[in-house]
Amino acid sequence: VQLVESGGGLVQAGGSLRLSCAASGSSFSIYTMGWYRQAPGKQRELAAIITSVGSTIYADSVKGRFTISRDNAKNKVYLQMKSLKREDTAVYYCKLVAGRVYWGQGTQVTVSS
């Protein structure tokens, strides 16, 4: 399994970005997918996850601003981010759990004031 994130970049506070994660391999639809983030000097933390049946969980810090979704036909998971804040600045990683844990290489999101 390989995960490739895209969509990161530099955005002003209050702006929006949509991250994408493309997964290789089969049976994508049965796996729980997640977006995690790691800010400089901090531990990696959960942003949002989506199960195989579409149930979602969000970190309190992003609830109401971020939306996770998936397109099983395209083997992709998305993170729509709105009302971005400086504290959302981090490297965002895609995660897949399938017996073992797989991570993407990450995509940088920088929010400027």
Side-chain angles (χ1 to χ4, degrees):
V1 175
Q2 286 188 324
L3 303 173
V4 179
E5 301 99 333
S6 61
L10 175 64
V11 63
Q12 287 192 328
S16 300
L17 280 176
R18 189 175 84 148
L19 306 183
S20 297
C21 173
S24 66
S26 60
S27 304
F28 172 81
S29 64
I30 70 173
Y31 301 132
T32 291
M33 301 293 300
W35 284 100
Y36 288 70
R37 63 186 186 180
Q38 188 167 17
K42 295 188 177 181
Q43 290 189 332
R44 194 171 297 187
E45 64 177 13
L46 168 73
I49 63 172
I50 185 166
T51 69
S52 60
V53 295
S55 298
T56 57
I57 296 174
Y58 296 93
D60 288 342
S61 58
V62 308
K63 208 172 289 184
R65 300 187 298 119
F66 290 10
T67 302
I68 188 170
S69 61
R70 64 192 299 161
D71 185 336
N72 291 332
K74 295 182 178 179
N75 277 19
K76 287 189 173 182
V77 63
Y78 304 98
L79 187 68
Q80 178 68 53
M81 306 185 294
K82 298 180 179 179
S83 302
L84 283 162
K85 305 175 182 179
R86 286 191 64 185
E87 51 263 44
D88 294 319
T89 294
V91 178
Y92 284 71
Y93 297 91
C94 181
K95 175 184 176 182
L96 182 153
V97 180
R100 53 158 285 187
V101 176
Y102 297 88
W103 292 96
Q105 84 288 350
T107 185
Q108 176 71 47
V109 172
T110 302
V111 184
S112 64
S113 58

